[in-house]
Amino acid sequence: MERSGLWQVNDETPWKDLGDGIQRQVFGYDDRVMLVKVKFEKGAVGTLHEHHHTQVSYVESGVFEMTIAEEKKVLKTGDGFYVPPGAVHGTVCLEPGVLIDVFSPHREDFL
């Protein structure tokens, strides 16, 4: 079973620069679940995409216009969203912020 170490310390966990104002920090994971922090600059776009993973996300900070399937909603600090497997989704960052994403199963493409 592939998995992370037991502890993820923010100051010791590297950020990966994805370009265009987006960075990703992979936290704990095993084959069944993964926690990821995604940092967005104002105006950054998480392009519309889909995947077979279930995704649940929490807005740690900032303001985001989320699209899931054909619905749009503006979410702010403290809000969250659920993305069912196969649903097309994406976001536009309206105010700089961080999303906390949980995926099941883990995202092999992030490792």
Side-chain angles (χ1 to χ4, degrees):
M1 173 196 298
E2 186 175 12
R3 71 175 183 96
S4 66
L6 294 177
W7 312 108
Q8 295 82 49
V9 177
N10 187 58
D11 293 341
E12 299 170 7
T13 304
W15 287 89
K16 180 176 182 179
D17 187 351
L18 303 177
D20 299 320
I22 302 174
Q23 296 179 50
R24 176 172 55 223
Q25 190 180 40
V26 175
F27 270 60
Y29 64 91
D30 65 15
D31 293 339
R32 297 168 299 178
V33 68
M34 175 181 270
L35 180 73
V36 177
K37 290 170 61 175
V38 188
K39 187 185 311 181
F40 291 80
E41 295 175 9
K42 182 176 182 173
V45 176
T47 56
L48 289 173
H49 65 285
E50 62 182 297
H51 44 72
H52 72 274
H53 310 83
T54 297
Q55 177 179 341
V56 179
S57 298
Y58 173 76
V59 181
E60 177 183 278
S61 60
V63 179
F64 296 85
E65 181 185 73
M66 267 312 295
T67 301
I68 302 172
E70 296 179 13
E71 285 188 60
K72 286 188 180 193
K73 188 160 188 75
V74 174
L75 301 173
K76 63 184 184 339
T77 301
D79 295 336
F81 56 93
Y82 165 77
V83 181
V88 175
H89 60 286
T91 193
V92 176
C93 181
L94 304 178
E95 297 293 331
V98 174
L99 296 178
I100 307 295
D101 296 334
V102 176
F103 298 99
S104 179
H106 78 284
R107 295 285 305 259
E108 290 182 21
D109 55 321
F110 285 7
L111 300 176

